[in-house]
């Protein structure tokens, strides 16, 4: 059988008559008071036990080692297969006052090893009585100790009870006061908050209505401006298309005239060959001078055309800039009230957020107070159930207030979202304005290209008409006299109508005159700038003159020129997109000088059409 046994190990020291030490071991059972076995081991007995069982420990270290073995047995007692066992073996079948042996056994799969075997003697009546008396004494001492503890605990509990009752009464009074104060304070706060909330709601509604009206008005104004700009651009497009059609018609007419001129040129080629033989000697002399003059005239022609085109472009750009500035000023004026309104809204929102923060801080403080009160009330829940109902109702009211505050916060968020939407709409309108400006710039570029094409066509038409004019003059006049200057060079033709008496060679008379006479140098002795007036040119006294025979324009003979002056250039570009300003400016109208009056110095019939630059 298995039994729980208490083992007492004592080291006894005896000094009478000889000082010696004994080890006393006692086995008892808490359930059976008559279960008592004793063992007393002296140093001499330990020596015989050591030699019998082969122990390696001295007498002084034996008690601790024995206790260690017992502790190992205690640790292994709850296991299914314990490693250390404590066996109590008796020779009799029943434990009936017979000596027993206590064995400490270590078990392994191979063998049961007994580390220690001690023989215990059963206690006699005197020892049992003595043991029972000691047990009674211990029980009485424990009883007296417990009674004293009980008495002390009762006194402490009564004191604590009285103190807790007093503190309860004081806390209940404080609670009532706090409740009264809290109810009055909450009522005042609710009234204030309700009034403030109603006022703020009315203000926000009024502000929202005003902002909506302003936004609608601004939107309508911007839409009207946008529609006006679109209509203006459409009108401009229609005008440009009409101009393009007119120019294409003119181009076709010019092509037909060129064809007619080619047919006439084929008949005149024979007459030109005859005139070539006469002009070869003169050409060799004037080739260098004519080439230089021709290049200079071309350069002057190009520069003047470019100046005119640039002046027109500057005027158009100035008009467009004034329009764009007006549109930008209008948009900036519209932006200013929008910015002011947004700043006011932001300041109003910041004020509302500050009030909400103060309210939330106060609510947090109230929540902390409520939590403290609830913690105090939990200890007194048994006696204060009726009072808890009141606190629950107050918590419900607070929850309702929190819900109201959350609703107000949501409304503020909605107001902020509406403000963001309005800002996005303003950004969209600005993007539309930018696209309109880009379209205007593209139309400017188209106008520039059209004006460049117009200038090129003006040059082409001038060349064609200048080529046509010598042919008519050659057919009208039978011959032209040439004047030789004192320097040995042929004279230039004079233009009496303009007041300039400058000699001109026959070859020079039949070539192109793209530039006006008053833009050329009168003579090598009297240099005159391109923009000088005719009166200044007439003052030059060193101009060499030559006489020319006046002849009838219709009956004169033609002088021969190279076929390259009458060939059509194939690298022509069709006219497209010419503006109305260029048509009305007179670039395409040839200027013919009036009939030359015979002057006392010289008289020269103009042989070519005259075109301004």
């Amino acid at each position: 059988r298995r039994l729980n046994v208490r083992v007492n190990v004592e080291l006894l020291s005896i000094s009478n008559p000889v000082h010696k030490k004994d080890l006393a071991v006692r086995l008892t059972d808490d359930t059976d008071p008559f279960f008592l076995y004793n063992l007393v081991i002296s140093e001499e007995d330990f020596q015989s036990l050591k030699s019998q069982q082969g122990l390696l420990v001295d007498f002084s270290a034996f008690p601790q080692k024995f206790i260690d073995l017992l502790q190992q047995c205690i640790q292994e007692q709850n296991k299914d297969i314990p490693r250390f066992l404590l066996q109590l073996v008796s020779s009799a079948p029943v434990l009936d006052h017979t000596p027993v042996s206590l064995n400490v056994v270590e078990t392994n799969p191979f063998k049961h090893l007994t580390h220690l075997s001690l023989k215990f003697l059963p206690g006699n009546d005197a020892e049992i009585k003595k043991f029972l008396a000691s047990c009674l004494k211990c029980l009485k001492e424990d009883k007296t100790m417990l009674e004293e503890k009980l008495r002390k605990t009762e006194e402490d509990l009564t004191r604590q009870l009285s103190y807790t009752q007093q503190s309860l009464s004081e806390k209940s009074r404080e609670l009532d006061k706090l409740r009264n104060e809290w109810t009055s304070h909450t009522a005042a706060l609710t009234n204030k908050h309700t009034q403030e909330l109603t006022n703020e709601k009315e203000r926000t509604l009024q502000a929202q209505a005003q902002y909506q009206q302003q936004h609608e008005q601004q939107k309508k104004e911007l839409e009207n401006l946008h529609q006006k700009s679109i209509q203006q651009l459409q009108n401009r497009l229609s005008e440009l298309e009409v101009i393009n059609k007119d120019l294409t018609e003119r181009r076709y007419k010019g092509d037909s005239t060129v064809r007619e001129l080619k047919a006439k040129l084929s008949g005149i080629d024979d007459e030109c060959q005859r005139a070539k033989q006469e002009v070869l000697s003169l050409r060799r002399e004037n080739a260098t001078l004519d080439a230089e003059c021709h290049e200079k005239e071309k350069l002057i022609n190009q520069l003047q055309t470019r100046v005119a085109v640039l002046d027109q472009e500057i005027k158009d750009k100035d008009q467009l800039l004034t329009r764009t500035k007006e549109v930008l000023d209008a948009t900036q004026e519209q932006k200013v009230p929008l910015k002011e309104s947004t700043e006011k809204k932001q300041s109003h929102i910041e004020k509302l957020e500050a009030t909400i923060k103060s309210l939330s801080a106060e609510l947090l403080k109230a929540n902390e107070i409520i939590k403290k009160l609830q913690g105090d009330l939990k200890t007194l829940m048994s006696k204060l159930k009726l009072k808890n109902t009141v606190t629950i109702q107050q918590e419900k009211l607070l929850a309702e207030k929190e819900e109201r505050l959350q609703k107000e916060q949501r409304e503020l968020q909605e107001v902020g979202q509406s403000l963001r939407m309005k800002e996005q709409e303003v950004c969209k309108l600005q993007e539309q304005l930018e696209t309109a400006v880009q379209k205007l710039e593209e139309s400017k570029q188209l106008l520039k290209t059209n004006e460049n094409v117009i200038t090129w066509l003006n040059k082409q038409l001038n060349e064609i008409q200048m080529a046509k004019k010598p042919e008519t003059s050659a057919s009208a006049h039978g011959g032209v006299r040439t004047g030789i200057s004192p320097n040995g060079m042929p004279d230039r033709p004079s233009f009496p109508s303009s007041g300039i008496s400058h000699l001109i060679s026959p070859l020079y008379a039949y070539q192109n005159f793209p530039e006006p006479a008053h833009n050329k140098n009168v003579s090598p002795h009297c240099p005159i700038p391109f923009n000088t007036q005719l009166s200044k040119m007439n003052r030059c006294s060193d101009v060499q003159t030559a006489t020319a025979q006046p002849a009838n324009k219709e009956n004169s003979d033609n002088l021969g020129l190279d076929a390259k002056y009458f060939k059509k250039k194939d690298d022509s570009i069709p006219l497209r997109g010419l503006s109305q300003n260029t048509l009305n400016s007179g670039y395409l109208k040839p200027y013919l000088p009036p009939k030359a009056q015979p002057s006392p110095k010289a008289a020269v019939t103009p042989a070519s059409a005259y075109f301004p630059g």
Side-chain angles (χ1 to χ4, degrees):
R1 62 173 180 167
R2 182 174 287 181
L3 186 68
N4 290 322
V5 178
R6 186 180 295 276
V7 181
N8 293 322
V9 180
E10 293 178 1
L11 192 63
L12 302 174
S13 59
I14 301 165
S15 57
N16 289 323
V18 181
H19 182 74
K20 63 178 182 178
K21 290 182 179 179
D22 294 333
L23 180 67
V25 182
R26 185 172 59 194
L27 294 176
T28 57
D29 188 4
D30 294 335
T31 58
D32 188 5
F34 294 101
F35 183 83
L36 180 64
Y37 289 92
N38 293 318
L39 174 64
V40 178
I41 300 171
S42 61
E43 292 179 1
E44 296 156 355
D45 296 334
F46 179 73
Q47 293 299 326
S48 61
L49 181 67
K50 182 177 180 182
S51 61
Q52 286 175 4
Q53 296 186 8
L55 299 176
L56 302 173
V57 189
D58 295 333
F59 181 74
S60 60
F62 177 71
Q64 186 61 42
K65 294 291 181 183
F66 180 58
I67 289 165
D68 292 337
L69 288 170
L70 291 173
Q71 284 178 354
Q72 286 180 357
C73 292
I74 289 164
Q75 289 176 1
E76 298 285 334
Q77 67 181 350
N78 293 321
K79 294 182 180 179
D80 295 332
I81 301 169
R83 187 180 173 188
F84 288 95
L85 294 172
L86 194 63
Q87 289 182 350
L88 190 67
V89 182
S90 66
S91 60
V94 182
L95 291 170
D96 189 12
H97 301 291
T98 55
V100 295
S101 60
L102 183 69
N103 301 325
V104 179
V105 182
E106 182 182 0
T107 61
N108 57 24
F110 181 69
K111 187 181 179 182
H112 291 281
L113 298 173
T114 56
H115 288 283
L116 184 63
S117 179
L118 299 173
K119 288 184 179 180
F120 285 83
L121 295 173
N124 52 17
D125 293 335
E127 288 176 354
I128 289 168
K129 286 177 183 178
K130 190 178 180 182
F131 171 68
L132 290 171
S134 63
C135 287
L136 259 174
K137 187 180 179 182
C138 289
L139 286 169
K140 283 181 179 179
E141 287 176 355
D142 293 334
K143 184 185 175 185
T144 52
M145 288 288 288
L146 288 168
E147 283 177 352
E148 286 179 357
K149 284 181 181 179
L150 250 176
R151 185 172 57 78
K152 287 179 181 179
T153 51
E154 282 179 356
E155 289 176 356
D156 292 334
L157 286 169
T158 51
R159 287 174 186 172
Q160 286 177 2
L161 249 177
S162 61
Y163 181 71
T164 49
Q165 285 177 356
Q166 289 176 1
S167 62
L168 241 176
S169 61
E170 289 176 357
K171 285 182 180 179
S172 61
R173 290 172 187 171
E174 289 177 358
L175 234 175
D176 294 331
K177 288 180 182 179
L178 285 170
R179 278 180 183 170
N180 293 324
E181 291 177 357
W182 188 61
T183 50
S184 62
H185 187 63
T186 49
L189 282 172
T190 50
N191 292 323
K192 283 182 183 179
H193 292 317
T194 50
Q195 288 177 0
E196 289 176 357
L197 285 169
T198 52
N199 293 326
E200 286 174 358
K201 282 180 181 178
E202 289 176 356
R203 289 175 186 172
T204 50
L205 289 169
Q206 290 176 359
Q208 190 175 2
Q210 289 177 0
Y211 294 145
Q212 285 178 355
Q213 289 177 359
Q214 290 177 0
H215 180 66
E216 288 176 357
Q217 289 177 359
Q218 290 172 1
K219 190 177 179 183
K220 287 178 181 178
E221 290 175 358
L222 288 170
E223 286 177 353
N224 292 324
L225 287 170
H226 187 61
Q227 287 177 358
K228 286 179 182 178
S229 64
I230 289 165
Q231 287 177 358
Q232 289 176 359
L233 289 170
Q234 287 178 354
N235 293 325
R236 190 70 180 277
L237 274 171
S238 61
E239 290 175 359
L240 289 169
E241 287 175 355
V242 171
I243 292 163
N244 196 1
K245 287 179 182 178
D246 294 335
L247 288 170
T248 50
E249 289 175 358
R250 289 185 183 182
R251 184 195 166 195
Y252 291 135
K253 288 178 182 177
D255 291 335
S256 63
T257 54
V258 167
R259 288 172 187 170
E260 291 175 358
L261 288 168
K262 280 184 179 179
K264 288 179 182 179
L265 280 169
S266 63
I268 296 164
D269 283 335
D270 297 331
E271 294 177 357
C272 287
Q273 287 177 0
R274 292 173 188 174
K276 279 180 185 178
Q277 293 175 359
E278 296 175 359
V279 175
L280 280 171
S281 61
L282 297 170
R283 268 192 194 168
R284 288 172 184 173
E285 294 174 359
N286 295 327
T288 56
L289 294 170
D290 288 335
E292 290 176 358
C293 292
H294 191 62
E295 288 176 356
K296 288 178 181 179
E297 286 169 0
K298 280 185 179 179
L299 287 169
I300 291 160
N301 217 353
Q302 289 176 359
L303 289 168
Q304 286 182 353
T305 52
R306 282 183 70 187
V307 167
V309 170
L310 289 169
D311 290 334
Q312 190 64 32
E313 286 180 358
I314 288 160
K315 288 178 183 178
D316 295 333
K317 285 179 180 178
D318 290 332
Q319 291 176 0
L320 288 168
L321 280 168
T322 52
R323 288 176 186 173
T324 51
K325 281 179 182 178
E326 288 175 358
V327 174
L328 284 169
D329 292 333
T331 52
Q332 286 177 358
E333 287 176 358
Q334 290 173 1
K335 280 181 184 177
V336 169
L338 284 170
K339 286 181 180 177
E340 290 177 355
S341 62
T342 50
E343 287 176 356
K344 287 179 182 179
K345 286 180 181 178
Q346 285 178 357
S347 61
H348 187 63
I349 288 161
E350 287 175 356
K351 287 178 182 179
L352 290 171
E353 285 178 352
T355 53
I356 287 160
K357 284 179 180 178
S358 62
L359 289 169
S360 62
E362 289 176 358
L363 285 169
L364 287 169
K365 289 178 183 179
N367 285 323
E368 288 176 357
I369 292 163
I370 289 160
K371 284 178 182 178
K372 287 178 183 179
L373 291 170
Q374 285 178 355
D376 294 331
L377 287 168
K378 280 179 183 178
T379 56
L380 305 170
M381 284 293 286
S382 61
K383 294 181 180 180
L384 301 172
K385 285 182 180 179
L386 294 172
K387 295 178 182 179
N388 282 328
T389 55
V390 177
T391 55
I392 288 163
Q393 290 177 358
Q394 290 174 356
E395 286 176 355
K396 287 180 180 179
L397 290 169
L398 283 168
E400 289 176 358
K401 287 178 184 178
E402 287 177 353
E403 288 177 357
R404 287 177 185 173
L405 284 170
Q406 288 176 0
K407 286 179 182 178
E408 289 175 358
Q409 288 176 356
R410 288 173 187 170
E411 287 176 357
L412 283 170
Q413 288 176 359
E414 289 175 357
V415 170
Q417 288 177 359
S418 65
L419 280 170
R420 288 173 187 168
M421 292 290 286
K422 287 177 182 178
E423 288 176 355
Q424 289 176 0
E425 287 176 358
V426 170
C427 292
K428 287 179 182 177
L429 290 170
Q430 287 178 356
E431 288 176 356
Q432 289 176 0
L433 270 173
E434 288 175 357
T435 53
V437 172
Q438 287 178 0
K439 287 179 181 177
L440 284 170
E441 289 176 355
E442 289 175 358
S443 64
K444 285 180 186 178
Q445 290 177 359
L446 285 170
L447 285 170
K448 285 181 183 178
T449 54
N450 290 330
E451 287 172 357
N452 290 325
V453 170
I454 288 161
T455 55
W456 185 83
L457 285 166
N458 283 327
K459 288 180 185 179
Q460 293 292 323
L461 287 169
N462 288 328
E463 288 176 0
I464 290 163
Q465 289 181 0
M466 292 295 287
K468 184 179 177 182
K469 197 71 181 175
E471 293 169 4
T472 57
S473 64
S475 62
H477 297 283
V480 178
R481 287 177 63 188
T482 59
I484 305 299
S485 65
N487 295 324
M489 299 299 290
D491 295 328
R492 305 282 178 180
S494 63
F495 294 92
S497 61
S498 62
I500 300 170
S501 60
H502 195 287
L503 296 176
I504 187 166
S505 67
L507 178 63
Y508 193 79
Y510 289 102
Q511 289 181 356
N512 296 329
F513 288 91
E515 296 295 318
H518 62 80
N519 285 338
K520 298 179 181 177
N521 290 330
V522 177
S523 72
H525 300 289
C526 184
I528 297 170
F530 292 110
N531 56 359
T532 52
Q533 297 178 357
L534 294 174
S535 61
K536 290 182 180 179
M537 288 184 175
N538 289 323
R539 292 175 189 171
C540 184
S541 63
D542 295 331
V543 177
Q544 295 179 1
T545 60
T547 60
Q549 293 179 357
N552 192 1
K553 202 173 187 179
E554 296 176 356
N555 298 320
S556 63
D557 293 328
N558 295 324
L559 291 174
L561 292 173
D562 287 334
K564 66 180 180 179
Y565 293 101
F566 303 102
K567 286 180 183 178
K568 181 185 176 183
K569 292 186 178 180
D570 295 329
D571 56 351
S572 60
I573 297 168
L575 293 173
R576 285 175 190 161
L578 292 175
S579 65
Q580 193 69 28
N581 293 322
T582 55
L583 286 172
N584 296 326
S585 64
Y587 288 129
L588 299 176
K589 294 177 182 179
Y591 174 77
L592 295 172
K595 289 182 179 180
Q597 298 294 330
S599 63
K601 293 183 180 179
V604 177
T605 303
S608 63
Y610 180 77
F611 290 90

